[in-house]
Amino acid sequence: MSSVTFITWLIVSLFFYSNEVASSSSSAISVSASFGAGSRSILRSIDKNKELKEDYAVELNATNFDSVLKETPAAHAVVEFFAHWCPACRNYKPQYEKIAKIFNGADAVHPGMILLTRVDCALKINTNLCDKFSVGRYPTLLWGPPSKFVSGSWDPKQEKSEIRSIEDARTADLLLNWINKQMNSSYRLEDRKYENDLQKNASDIGQIARAVYDIEEATSTAFDIILDHKMIKSETKVSLVKFFQLLVVHHPSRRCRKGTAELLVDFDNLLANKEIDSGERGEIRNYQICGKDVPRGYWMFCRGSKNETRGFSCGLWVLLHSLSVRVDDGESQLAFTTICDFIHNFFICEECRQHFYTMCSSTKTRSVSTPFNKSRDFVLWLWQAHNKVNERLMKVEASLETDDPQFPKITWPPQQLCPSCYGTVRVDESRPIEWDLDEVHKFLINYYGKALVNLNKDKEFTVERLVNLSDDAASSASVNALVVPVGAALAIAVASCAFGALACYWRQHQKSRKPRRSWN
């Protein structure tokens, strides 16, 4: 240690020691610190011999305000505009944090329902942002759909606005009561995780719209499992590349299509790196397949009444169904083999993996034969396979009492969700169901297609946009660049051809690009 470093350390130590002695009669220390843009913690309370209390409200600033509110799965948002020097704001923070703890983060009681955020107007970076929302006093609380805050503004004189001011919320109880009135809900400060707020109404088709966030969660979780368990081997690379190609074209989430495309474009370079064969994650850990904020750590449509039920397996099933209803006739057999190979090589539950692959290897089901010539056949095969799994698990979980009491396994879809799917009204539950397969197919196309993306109507990075971009890119793309893994996308059919051309264009620019940095 140099003499300068030692002297600096000594001065800092003496400074903090003298402050500690001067405040020895106090039972707590109040610390107020203004950090740079993007920091989450200010005005934290520190009790003696205790760690810093965690902030649950998400701190926003001018640089991340739009992006955070744009990407949140929450249907509602509260934004608190405050100033770190304001005594009333400091006193209000514990009340606000009680509500944020209920809704924000993976450990929240009701995750993904409401996003509670804060903006420090005392920081110069936020001056224009606070002016846009007419902040004239501290604290100011605004409520509205997150999308209305994005690139938006608020004027108290404006009569018709989806952004509203919360006037009487001086305590946590008052704020929660105000929220309950707006949402017609019954949230309580005493709520415990998994107690309520579960989506139990099977007849409400609108519930599936929120599953797009669970599909993102399942996609990202599956990728993390593959990396954590070092499952990318020489013999499994091809099946993984094919599955990525399927996601690039048909994943219902724009973010996952984009993230998978970026990974796929670079995958040949990653394949050449021996660290993958040796099981090391290396550079591939820098790729977050559905964006930097995913996985979020919680489930919405797939949330169970217990921590160990539903979740990832539910999200993975919804992903597979959503892929099946998006493939064309010419892609159906390839999509079928791609999904079967992916589950066989990368699903870590051994019994489930073997059972699914046995169904894949069977040449016929009750009403669908392979190879598939029509996408309808593939959609119905996956639906029948899922019901077979449910039938098997019904018996196993009932005998072991490991089922979710709020979400028992059922034959899908239930009659109240799709009455027309049932050829006759079921009087005797023991008799086989007479399905109207045409109606089942229509239901699945709507449920896992149009209804699922109802809350996720993205206009960017769609297949149509890929086609348009590829027309311009194809002329400048090198023929030699159409090699594995991107060239193999031609096998995914017409839409994949468009992606292949675009990917070639990206690769030409990639060579002069700076090394990728981690998003963590």
Side-chain angles (χ1 to χ4, degrees):
M1 181 182 295
S2 66
S3 58
V4 175
T5 303
F6 176 78
I7 293 172
T8 302
W9 173 84
L10 182 60
I11 292 173
V12 171
S13 299
L14 289 173
F15 172 79
F16 281 107
Y17 175 77
S18 61
N19 280 341
E20 182 178 355
V21 172
S23 60
S24 60
S25 60
S26 174
S27 60
I29 304 174
S30 178
V31 179
S32 176
S34 178
F35 295 91
S39 174
R40 279 181 53 89
S41 54
I42 61 172
L43 307 176
R44 294 191 176 184
S45 174
I46 308 176
D47 293 332
K48 275 192 174 182
N49 302 321
K50 290 186 179 181
E51 296 180 354
L52 288 170
K53 292 183 179 179
E54 181 181 1
D55 281 355
Y56 295 96
V58 178
E59 189 150 332
L60 303 179
N61 56 58
T63 64
N64 66 0
F65 186 85
D66 284 353
S67 61
V68 171
L69 289 166
K70 181 180 179 180
E71 299 295 347
T72 179
H76 307 278
V78 179
V79 182
E80 179 201 5
F81 294 93
F82 75 103
H84 63 259
W85 48 258
C86 167
C89 298
R90 290 199 297 269
N91 294 334
Y92 182 65
K93 182 181 179 181
Q95 302 295 320
Y96 192 67
E97 284 293 318
K98 289 180 181 179
I99 308 302
K101 184 178 181 179
I102 298 176
F103 297 105
N104 284 7
D107 295 325
V109 181
H110 307 293
M113 306 302 294
I114 305 170
L115 179 68
L116 281 93
T117 66
R118 313 177 79 221
V119 175
D120 187 355
C121 294
L123 300 180
K124 290 185 179 180
I125 190 175
N126 296 327
T127 300
N128 291 336
L129 177 62
C130 295
D131 288 343
K132 285 173 59 179
F133 289 94
S134 305
V135 179
R137 65 178 186 273
Y138 301 132
T140 292
L141 270 66
L142 297 182
W143 161 277
S147 59
K148 298 302 177 181
F149 285 98
V150 177
S151 301
S153 61
W154 179 73
D155 186 343
K157 298 179 181 179
Q158 185 177 352
E159 294 183 0
K160 295 182 178 180
S161 175
E162 292 188 62
I163 297 177
R164 300 179 55 190
S165 175
I166 305 176
E167 297 298 337
D168 189 9
R170 290 169 294 175
T171 65
D173 286 315
L174 289 172
L175 177 56
L176 192 56
N177 288 339
W178 192 95
I179 290 173
N180 282 331
K181 289 180 180 179
Q182 310 310 308
M183 299 182 63
N184 193 26
S185 54
S186 57
Y187 300 125
R188 304 172 305 158
L189 291 174
E190 298 79 18
D191 283 349
R192 295 293 177 265
K193 199 169 185 179
Y194 304 110
E195 275 188 347
N196 58 21
D197 195 36
L198 298 174
Q199 304 182 35
K200 304 173 186 177
N201 186 5
S203 62
D204 182 8
I205 196 171
Q207 290 182 3
I208 191 64
R210 299 177 69 79
V212 68
Y213 302 111
D214 287 350
I215 293 177
E216 292 178 341
E217 193 81 2
T219 304
S220 182
T221 301
F223 186 55
D224 286 345
I225 290 173
I226 290 171
L227 296 182
D228 291 341
H229 291 271
K230 304 174 183 178
M231 302 174 76
I232 305 178
K233 306 292 182 181
S234 300
E235 61 273 17
T236 63
K237 292 174 184 175
V238 174
S239 67
L240 185 59
V241 167
K242 289 181 178 179
F243 189 71
F244 283 162
Q245 291 165 349
L246 185 63
L247 297 185
V248 166
V249 180
H250 295 301
H251 200 292
S253 166
R254 171 186 57 85
R255 298 201 300 174
C256 295
R257 292 197 300 273
K258 184 176 184 293
T260 309
E262 292 175 348
L263 173 59
L264 190 58
V265 168
D266 290 345
F267 204 68
D268 52 353
N269 295 328
L270 295 171
L271 289 176
N273 195 330
K274 294 182 180 180
E275 66 184 14
I276 291 183
D277 282 320
S278 64
E280 297 297 328
R281 291 180 61 168
E283 286 184 52
I284 201 168
R285 75 173 60 192
N286 297 340
Y287 294 81
Q288 292 171 306
I289 200 166
C290 287
K292 62 181 180 180
D293 296 323
V294 183
R296 303 175 183 89
Y298 59 85
W299 305 92
M300 301 183 69
F301 174 81
C302 288
R303 188 182 184 203
S305 63
K306 297 185 291 186
N307 186 48
E308 63 271 16
T309 59
R310 304 188 82 210
F312 174 62
S313 60
C314 167
L316 187 59
W317 272 116
V318 178
L319 170 62
L320 299 184
H321 284 297
S322 70
L323 293 173
S324 73
V325 302
R326 286 169 170 76
V327 300
D328 296 324
D329 289 343
E331 305 172 274
S332 55
Q333 180 62 26
L334 181 58
F336 164 72
T337 57
T338 296
I339 287 175
C340 287
D341 289 342
F342 176 79
I343 296 297
H344 181 63
N345 289 315
F346 299 106
F347 196 63
I348 202 165
C349 173
E350 181 64 21
E351 182 179 352
C352 306
R353 182 179 69 88
Q354 292 292 351
H355 186 262
F356 189 88
Y357 201 68
T358 298
M359 292 190 294
C360 290
S361 303
S362 177
T363 57
K364 290 187 178 183
T365 63
R366 183 170 55 193
S367 57
V368 179
S369 60
T370 56
F372 301 120
N373 296 318
K374 299 288 185 180
S375 60
R376 174 185 184 275
D377 296 336
F378 176 41
V379 171
L380 291 176
W381 176 87
L382 187 63
W383 161 71
Q384 290 179 343
H386 196 171
N387 272 336
K388 283 187 175 181
V389 171
N390 278 354
E391 290 173 8
R392 180 175 64 89
L393 292 178
M394 280 183 214
K395 301 175 183 178
V396 175
E397 293 181 353
S399 62
L400 299 175
E401 298 182 348
T402 56
D403 60 329
D404 190 322
Q406 300 294 337
F407 297 94
K409 297 291 188 298
I410 60 173
T411 301
W412 186 262
Q415 195 162 359
Q416 64 266 37
L417 191 58
C418 182
S420 61
C421 293
Y422 290 71
T424 59
V425 178
R426 293 189 73 191
V427 179
D428 186 357
E429 295 289 334
S430 63
R431 297 185 61 182
I433 300 173
E434 296 181 11
W435 295 103
D436 185 329
L437 295 181
D438 289 333
E439 290 298 318
V440 171
H441 180 244
K442 290 179 183 178
F443 168 80
L444 295 171
I445 292 293
N446 181 60
Y447 191 78
Y448 292 108
K450 296 178 182 178
L452 187 145
V453 298
N454 184 48
L455 294 181
N456 196 48
K457 294 179 180 177
D458 47 76
K459 298 180 181 179
E460 302 176 55
F461 214 82
T462 59
V463 173
E464 290 78 13
R465 176 168 165 77
L466 286 172
V467 173
N468 294 334
L469 289 174
S470 65
D471 290 340
D472 298 331
S475 59
S476 61
S478 170
V479 175
N480 294 329
L482 291 173
V483 295
V484 173
V486 180
L490 295 171
I492 300 270
V494 178
S496 283
C497 293
F499 166 73
L502 178 60
C504 295
Y505 175 77
W506 284 346
R507 184 175 296 174
Q508 296 297 321
H509 290 73
Q510 177 194 347
K511 293 180 180 179
S512 60
R513 171 173 87 177
K514 293 182 179 181
R516 179 178 293 273
R517 295 181 178 179
S518 173
W519 291 356
N520 293 330

